[in-house]
Structures are given as structure tokens and as C-alpha cells.
Amino acid sequence: MSRDHVEPADRSVSDAEAPAETAAPAEATAHDDTDSAHDDTDAPFLELLARDAPAEAYERPVLLARAEGRPAGRIAALERAKSAALRVRAELEGRRRREAELSALFETAHDLAGLRDVDAVLRAIVQRARSLLGTDIAYLSLHDPARGDTYMRVTEGSVAARFQQLRLGMGEGLGGLVAQTARPYVTDDYFRDDRFRHTTTIDAGVHDEGLVAILGVPLTLGKNVIGVLFAADRRARVFEREQIALLGSFAALAAAAIDTANLLTETRSALADLERANEIIRDRSGVIERASDVHDRLAELVLRGGGVHDVAAAVSEVLDGTVEFTETAPPAAVQASRAEGHAVRHRDDWIAAVAAGGELLGALVLRGHPGVDPVDQRTLERAAMVTSLLLLARRSAVEAEQRVRGELLDDLLDARDRDARLLRERAARLDADLDATHVVLAARLDAAASDADQEAAARTRLWSAASHLAATRHGLAAARDGGTVMLLPLEPGSTAADVARRTARHLGTAVHEAVTVGASAAVRGLVADRRAAAAAYEEARRCLDALRLLGRSGDGAAAEDFGFLGLLLAGDRDVTGFVERTIGRVVVYDEQRGTDLLRTLDAYFASGMSPVRTKDELHVHVNTVAQRLDRVAQLLGDDWNTPARVLEVQLALRLHRLAAPAQH
């Protein structure tokens, strides 16, 4: 029976006067009925609580009572019991949630206490935050002091590559606003929220990820914001205060993890520095001894006139590696070493530029030693300096010898008063024999220089290469007439033409440009005949000019290579007189009247002496060709085209073409 139940008003007196002990059992019975009713009302809800049923299941007992037509009091009692049960259920869920949150925070703090890998701790924080808040995605961004923005460090649940690579400037997007203000921000619809500045890049990344609701809390160390921790959903959602606080707790742990990692990094770096310092101290004695040894060896090499390869061998022994001098080291590494003034690493090698003043002479390369210590690096640099000094000394000696060789050749060519005995002695000191058979060669570069400085530099290179070749062949060389003249001995079995061709190839390779070389015939008695050298040089120059006029630049030849023309080029032949006697009247006629008789003759002979083919070559009428040939006959005589004179006319025409460019 319910507690709201009331007795009838017309109870009998006997009943009213009944002894108390008689009424008591009745009252007890009424209480028992009420408790029984409560037990009956609460029972289904207790069972639902016991099996952790979903919230909607708590409506079923009320609906069933209404369906059975139970009294209103019964239904009301069920409603009250349902409400109480739901409150209990909510309290239990809250306690479980807080227990899970506290457990996750405890586990994260435990991970932080045993920190070994900061990335692993940050990933665990992001994963637990996503799990406890039940979001589609969680992520963490960190501040980049160098660029003044934040970048994605860890993501969990992300599927868009562009989103994972986002960078947020201060005040850009929700994360940029959190980083700027150091306060949590939450939005239930990102693209409709105008509290923060939208940018095309950030909005594109968020759109790719499909995010709608986003919560961001700052990671702070003291007053500094070092990053932002986010939780986000791909649907509209309202984040509760407890969830914001929970994410803030994870953010605090993440900041602590980063701070701890930074401290560990600094500590490890300090320990490593101390260890390196100890190693340097331990090795200092050995380093000093090794440096002293290098100094003594290099000084000894310089004093006894050692060469570049001697320096490389000595440094190889000291550094326990292979050191080489080369002129073909990687250009970028050599230029870097030259600019910095120190040896630089290139892959597994170390390269030290060998330079003097503004000129790069080569490089010393230490092969296969990527881990060179600073002392060994300085040793390589010191060796490069010694190498440059040796090269300069050798160059000075070579240039001095070249000048001496050039002066001796100049004396031979200029035919000044000279002492034959003294000439032979000077030649002997240069390892040259003036009584041997020689060839005089005239060499010249064919490429036109863009300015005077470049032309002078090119001539210097040619003279240097020719001087070196002459020194190795027991000959002489000198700069002359804008080119170079050489005196080389003629080896048995060789001809002057052979020497000219070999010299052209050698010099062209040395200076990386085409060099044309004309050679004289073999000459003897250079000391006895004071005009021999000068005459041979003139012949070599005529051959050089002939090669260039014939379009054979970069080649080498002697008079013997030109056949009948060579007989005219050799010696003191009167080429000009021959041309004037043979076709001089035609030349003068063309010059005075502006006619094309010479050109007509060239085309006539080139066309096999056929007037028809000649008119096609000249693009004129055949009558014009006939008239011009008649004029030639009037000037040269009617027998000008007889076999006896045709050869002379053709030769004179060719000689005129060769000489004409030189006259202008």
C-alpha cells in the first residue's frame, strides 16, 4: 500500500478505541506494503544499472506500466525511480570517464618520467587525447622561432597530406590565434567562424581533411607559447568545459615533455662537448708532435729543392692517407677552398686549393678520409701553401730559362754582330746544339680576341706552351710578330712538314685553341750563315700565311706540302713580279673600270673552260661571258688560253687571291 493512502472517515469507535498493540500490527503492515511497492518500482532500474544498459533502455519500465494500465501513482513512482537511476548512471559514467582521464594522465606522466624519445611521448599524448575526447583527429603543432610560425609535429587520424604539412603564422587560422593569445579556442563550425583570420593555404588543408569542429589549447613554458594541441571532428560538435580542461592537461604534459627533451639534449650536448674536450687534451701531445714532424719534413723539402710530388708523399705519410696534387679537382670544391682559405670536404675527400695571388695553380686532395680532425686539416692547408711556393719558384725558374732561350733565338734571327763561340756556349747551357739540322716554325693563334687584354693573354699562353715544347725538344722559342717563332731540331726520318703538323696539334691542345704552324725547309749552319735563321723564318711565315689564306687554320705545313706553289713560297721567289707579268693588265683593268674580268676567269677555269657553264656560274648571259673573254684576249694576247699559258694564268690567279687579303 502507498504512503499517500488515507483511511475512511466513518471508522467505528471500537476500532478507534482499540488498544495500541492492536493497531501496531496494522501500521507495520502498511509500511511493509510501501517498502514492497518501492522495491517493485526500483527493481527494473537497478537491474539496468547492474548491466550498464544504454540510457534509452530506462524508458521501457515506464512504457510497459502505461501499456498495462497501471495506476497513475505507480507510473509516477516509476518516473521518479527512472530519473534517480539515470542520475546514478550519469554519475557512474562521469566517474569512469574521470578515472580513464586520470589514468591516461598518469600513464603520460609516467612516460614523461622515463623520457627517451620525445616523439614517442608526443605521439602517445595525441593518441590518448583523441581517444578520451572521442574525436576524429588530434594533432600537435610546434613553434618555429626561425620562421616565426608553427608547423605540424604529430598527427593522429589525419588522412590529408596537405593538412599534415601545414604551417600557421601568428594569428592565422584557429591555431595561429591560440599561439598568438596563449588562450584555448574552440569552434563548432570552422569555415563559418570569423574570429580568426582565414587563409587560402590553411583553409585548403582543413577542407582536404574535412574538419568542422576544432578545439585548440596552447602549449606553454612559462610565458612562452611553444605550440598548440588540437582535437577536431569532421562534424559539428560542442566541446564541454571538462573536455577543454582535459586537453589543456595533455597540453601541459606535452610542454613538459618538450622542455625535458630540450634539457636532455642540452645536457647530452654539454657532456659530448666535455668528452671532446677531454679527447683533445689527451691527444694534444700527439698532435703537437705530429705538427712538428710535418713542419720539419716540409722545411727539409724546400731546402733541398724538393718538388710538388715530394710534398704530397710526405703529407701522405704523416696523415696516413693518400695525398695527390692535381689540376683537375672538382671546380666547386676548389673555389670554395680558395674563397674560405681552408681545406673543404668533398664527399669522402678533403681538398685544399693551391693558389698564389689571384691565380689558381691546382689542389692537394686527401683521398678517402671524411673524418679529418682540425689539426690534420691545417696540415693539409700548410702543405698546399708550401706547394704553391714550390710551383711559383719552379715557374720563375722556367720563365727565366724561357727568356734566355728567347734571347738566344732573337740573336740568331736578327743577324747582329755576334761571336759564334759564344752562341754555341749559350746554346750548350740550354741543352741545344746549333750545329744540328733544324726547322724554323712560325705559329699563330687563329681565334680573334674580343679585346686587347684577352689577345695579350692568348699570346702569352701560346709563347709559354711553345717555350715548354722547345725546352723538352732541345730547341728555342721566342715571341715575335704577334705570334711565336720556334727553332726545333729535325729528327732523323722526319720532314719539316711532319714537325709542323705535330707542333700545331701539340700547341693547339696546350692552349685549347686552334694554332696554325708554318715551317721552313731543313736549315743547317745557323751559326756560320748569319742570314740562315732569318731567311728560314721568312719562309715559315709565308707558309703560315698560305695555310690561313687557303682556309687550313689550325693545321701545320711546310713549303713541300704546296706542290708547285710551294716552290714559289720557298726562298726568295718573286711572286709579285710573276703575277704582274702574267695577269697584271687584267688586274689593272678591273681596278680602273670596276669590271669582273678576274672573277670571270676564275669561273671560266672552274667550269672546265665552258662558256655555257660559266654563264650559269656567274648568272649572266652567254654573250656577256664571250665579250669578257674577248676583252681578256685583248689584254693578255690571243694565246692566253693555250695549254702552255693556261697553267701560268691559273697559278697567277691563285697567287693573286692569296696575296690580295694581305695587301688590304
Side-chain angles (χ1 to χ4, degrees):
M1 182 180 295
S2 171
R3 297 187 182 195
D4 297 330
H5 176 70
V6 180
E7 294 291 338
D10 55 347
R11 290 185 298 174
S12 62
V13 175
S14 59
D15 291 337
E17 297 177 350
E21 58 270 15
T22 304
E27 183 180 351
T29 303
H31 282 296
D32 292 341
D33 291 342
T34 301
D35 293 340
S36 175
H38 276 298
D39 293 341
D40 184 42
T41 302
D42 296 340
F45 297 107
L46 291 174
E47 182 180 350
L48 290 172
L49 286 171
R51 59 188 178 88
D52 196 20
E56 58 270 15
Y58 288 75
E59 293 290 343
R60 182 173 297 175
V62 179
L63 295 175
L64 184 60
R66 287 175 176 166
E68 292 176 350
R70 296 294 183 93
R74 169 74 174 177
I75 294 174
L78 286 171
E79 287 285 359
R80 288 192 295 275
K82 180 192 73 172
S83 298
L86 287 174
R87 287 196 298 275
V88 172
R89 181 180 183 278
E91 181 67 22
L92 290 174
E93 286 186 348
R95 291 185 179 184
R96 283 197 298 268
R97 184 173 63 252
R98 285 192 293 275
E99 180 181 355
E101 293 171 356
L102 291 173
S103 176
L105 291 172
F106 176 79
E107 291 175 358
T108 303
H110 182 270
D111 292 342
L112 180 57
L115 179 66
R116 291 294 181 271
D117 183 356
V118 66
D119 287 333
V121 174
L122 294 180
R123 281 196 298 271
I125 290 173
V126 172
Q127 290 169 355
R128 289 164 185 164
R130 179 193 179 203
S131 175
L132 290 175
L133 270 65
T135 56
D136 296 323
I137 179 175
Y139 50 100
L140 183 147
S141 65
L142 291 182
H143 179 59
D144 185 347
R147 298 180 56 171
D149 61 4
T150 59
Y151 64 96
M152 291 292 186
R153 177 67 179 269
V154 181
T155 62
E156 178 67 22
S158 172
V159 296
R162 179 157 52 176
F163 178 79
Q164 296 167 10
Q165 299 170 3
L166 278 180
R167 300 188 74 96
L168 289 74
M170 284 297 185
E172 294 180 353
L174 184 142
L177 187 60
V178 172
Q180 186 180 46
T181 63
R183 297 175 56 189
Y185 272 85
V186 61
T187 178
D188 56 359
D189 192 338
Y190 174 84
F191 289 100
R192 294 188 179 184
D193 198 331
D194 58 0
R195 291 177 299 165
F196 42 82
R197 181 154 52 95
H198 290 264
T199 68
T200 303
T201 302
I202 298 175
D203 286 359
V206 174
H207 181 271
D208 287 354
E209 197 63 59
L211 300 182
V212 177
I214 304 175
L215 166 62
V217 295
L219 279 69
T220 58
L221 286 177
K223 296 182 180 180
N224 298 322
V225 177
I226 64 170
V228 181
L229 180 61
F230 300 87
D233 260 343
R234 296 186 176 93
R235 63 186 185 282
R237 169 178 177 167
V238 177
F239 288 95
E240 300 174 357
R241 290 182 179 275
E242 292 82 1
Q243 294 173 323
I244 297 174
L246 175 61
L247 195 64
S249 298
F250 277 116
L253 289 174
I258 294 170
D259 189 37
T260 302
N262 290 338
L263 290 174
L264 285 174
T265 300
E266 293 174 2
T267 302
R268 289 168 182 163
S269 178
L271 290 174
D273 290 342
L274 288 174
E275 181 63 26
R276 285 194 294 270
N278 287 332
E279 290 178 357
I280 291 173
I281 292 172
R282 287 194 300 267
D283 295 342
R284 183 56 55 189
S285 176
V287 166
I288 293 174
E289 291 179 2
R290 191 164 69 248
S292 177
D293 182 34
V294 171
H295 181 272
D296 292 343
R297 292 191 181 202
L298 295 180
E300 181 186 357
L301 284 174
V302 173
L303 292 174
R304 65 180 175 86
V308 171
H309 297 292
D310 295 326
V311 173
V315 178
S316 297
E317 185 176 348
V318 172
L319 299 183
D320 192 23
T322 301
V323 177
E324 299 175 353
F325 173 77
T326 178
E327 297 178 355
T328 59
V334 175
Q335 291 298 337
S337 173
R338 183 182 181 186
E340 297 175 10
H342 297 289
V344 299
R345 180 177 172 182
H346 178 72
R347 298 178 182 172
D348 289 339
D349 301 336
W350 280 84
I351 297 176
V354 176
E359 184 179 2
L360 184 63
L361 305 176
L364 281 185
V365 182
L366 175 59
R367 305 287 187 187
H369 268 250
V372 170
D373 61 41
V375 175
D376 288 344
Q377 181 180 344
R378 286 194 294 273
T379 297
L380 186 64
E381 294 164 1
R382 188 178 296 110
M385 185 182 302
V386 172
T387 301
S388 67
L389 294 175
L390 290 176
L391 288 174
L392 285 178
R394 186 178 69 181
R395 173 183 292 182
S396 298
V398 169
E399 290 178 351
E401 181 181 338
Q402 289 174 350
R403 284 193 296 273
V404 172
R405 290 180 182 274
E407 291 170 358
L408 176 57
L409 183 54
D410 284 336
D411 288 346
L412 288 172
L413 292 173
D414 292 339
R416 295 190 294 265
D417 292 337
R418 60 205 183 190
D419 186 331
R421 181 185 60 81
L422 183 58
L423 286 176
R424 289 188 174 90
E425 289 179 355
R426 290 169 59 188
R429 286 195 294 270
L430 297 173
D431 197 21
D433 181 7
L434 296 182
D435 292 322
T437 302
H438 287 80
V439 175
V440 177
L441 303 109
R444 185 171 295 178
L445 291 168
D446 291 313
S450 58
D451 56 46
D453 291 339
Q454 289 189 358
E455 182 176 357
R459 290 179 178 179
T460 299
R461 290 197 304 272
L462 177 60
W463 171 75
S464 179
S467 297
H468 177 72
L469 177 61
T472 59
R473 301 283 179 85
H474 309 290
L476 305 174
R480 203 174 186 87
D481 299 325
T484 300
V485 57
M486 303 174 64
L487 179 68
L488 297 181
L490 183 63
E491 299 176 355
S494 293
T495 64
D498 296 335
V499 176
R501 283 189 287 271
R502 286 198 301 266
T503 303
R505 287 195 301 269
H506 182 93
L507 295 180
T509 302
V511 301
H512 305 291
E513 294 184 38
V515 178
T516 306
V517 177
S520 71
V523 58
R524 300 174 182 82
L526 290 171
V527 176
D529 185 354
R530 297 185 177 186
R531 288 289 306 161
Y537 174 56
E538 292 301 323
E539 181 179 337
R541 285 190 62 188
R542 288 194 294 273
C543 290
L544 172 63
D545 292 338
L547 282 171
R548 299 178 73 183
L549 292 172
L550 290 173
R552 292 173 58 183
S553 296
D555 197 0
E560 60 195 63
D561 290 318
F562 295 98
F564 179 70
L565 178 60
L567 296 178
L568 297 176
L569 294 173
D572 294 324
R573 303 290 182 180
D574 186 12
V575 176
T576 303
F578 173 78
V579 172
E580 289 178 353
R581 289 191 301 272
T582 307
I583 59 172
R585 297 182 65 184
V586 178
V587 173
V588 172
Y589 189 93
D590 273 354
E591 290 175 349
Q592 292 177 348
R593 293 172 174 76
T595 54
D596 285 331
L597 297 183
L598 290 174
R599 181 165 170 258
T600 302
L601 284 174
D602 282 333
Y604 179 66
F605 289 122
S607 302
M609 301 175 69
S610 168
V612 176
R613 288 197 293 271
T614 302
K615 63 96 175 177
D616 293 335
E617 177 72 19
L618 297 175
H619 304 289
V620 297
H621 196 274
V622 67
N623 291 337
T624 301
V625 175
Q627 292 170 5
R628 292 179 181 179
L629 294 178
D630 288 340
R631 177 63 63 185
V632 170
Q634 294 174 14
L635 294 171
L636 301 183
D638 293 334
D639 64 339
W640 71 273
N641 60 352
T642 61
R645 294 193 61 191
V646 163
L647 178 59
E648 293 180 0
V649 173
Q650 290 188 68
L651 179 58
L653 286 170
R654 179 169 294 186
L655 289 174
H656 177 69
R657 285 202 308 273
L658 291 174
Q663 294 172 357
H664 290 296

